[in-house]
Amino acid sequence: MRAFDLSVYLLTHPVDDLLDRVRDSIAGGATLIQYRDKVHGDREFLDTGRRVRDIARAASIPFIVNDRVDLALALDADGVHLGQEDIEAGRARALIGPDRILGISTSSVDEARRAIAAGANYLGVGDVFGTATKNKEEGPIGVEGLREIARAVAIHIVAIGGVTLENAPLAIRAGASGVSVISAILFAPDSRTATEGLARAVRTAFAERACRQ
């Protein structure tokens, strides 16, 4: 399995200039790309996915596919990220094999432990701050919910849901290994500048956390 860095984790969304924004985010310091498209059919998903994959590969950073194990395999992705309502994690691990990255979204300690037992390599924890990109009946778990899961598990976690430049350091200080971002990068006036600022904030928070340990 290839090494991966969760610190600045770009989660894509269908926008007209997606490829340019992915390139700009990588130039600004994005460390992992998760390709997510809930709008288009499989043909468009695969076509754009190949282009995003090639951009990530050219920059030597991991390319992960959201939800769809079949399309992740078709794209020869480095891994797949699943939610609680997707294919069961153990089944996904059997399908993708031992060498691909498996990420699982969790919002509680119990879900986190089950995901690890099923073979997850990292956890996406949240919704931490509240997000408009998903329809959820439950409210955000907050920084304390994130901290509780971080203390309970021994694998890396990435904070998901409503992450911004301003609140990203809170997630890192609570124990996250990185932050997953959509809007703060893809909908920013300048994706490269936005990513650079986020990467600086994350690095500073890591340094502050290290000083407290």
Side-chain angles (χ1 to χ4, degrees):
M1 179 183 299
R2 68 176 300 174
F4 59 92
D5 178 353
L6 299 174
S7 56
V8 183
Y9 184 128
L10 176 63
L11 178 58
T12 74
H13 182 79
V15 293
D16 290 341
D17 53 351
L18 176 62
L19 300 181
D20 287 337
R21 287 187 175 269
V22 169
R23 291 187 189 96
D24 288 345
S25 73
I26 292 172
T31 58
L32 186 149
I33 306 296
Q34 183 191 140
Y35 179 60
R36 177 178 183 268
D37 185 345
K38 300 288 190 178
V39 176
H40 298 107
D42 290 358
R43 182 174 296 179
E44 292 95 337
F45 188 108
L46 288 169
D47 182 56
T48 305
R50 288 187 188 97
R51 299 181 187 189
V52 174
R53 177 201 63 194
D54 291 347
I55 293 168
R57 292 245 167 103
S60 298
I61 68 172
F63 169 76
I64 306 293
V65 169
N66 177 265
D67 288 355
R68 297 286 300 272
V69 172
D70 55 342
L71 299 185
L73 293 172
L75 288 167
D76 189 27
D78 297 300
V80 65
H81 185 95
L82 303 174
Q84 289 294 311
E85 297 179 356
D86 297 322
I87 182 175
E88 191 271 327
R91 176 62 176 157
R93 170 55 75 196
L95 290 170
I96 67 174
D99 297 328
R100 285 188 168 90
I101 301 164
L102 177 61
I104 305 292
S105 292
T106 62
S107 59
S108 70
V109 171
D110 285 345
E111 287 180 353
R113 287 174 174 160
R114 287 196 298 270
I116 293 168
N121 300 113
Y122 75 89
L123 305 176
V125 175
D127 176 2
V128 177
F129 299 107
T131 178
T133 59
K134 285 190 176 183
N135 296 320
K136 294 191 67 174
E137 295 180 2
E138 306 86 0
I141 65 171
V143 173
E144 287 307 314
L146 174 67
R147 182 177 287 111
E148 180 184 13
I149 295 172
R151 287 174 174 170
V153 302
I155 67 173
H156 292 299
I157 67 174
V158 59
I160 59 177
V163 175
T164 66
L165 174 64
E166 291 74 25
N167 63 32
L170 300 177
I172 300 302
R173 293 179 196 130
S177 297
V179 290
S180 179
V181 176
I182 300 175
S183 300
I185 291 177
L186 291 186
F187 300 152
D190 185 324
S191 290
R192 177 169 182 167
T193 299
T195 309
E196 288 172 342
L198 187 64
R200 281 195 299 270
V202 167
R203 287 195 300 269
T204 299
F206 276 133
E208 292 171 350
R209 191 172 82 187
C211 289
R212 295 201 310 268
Q213 294 175 344

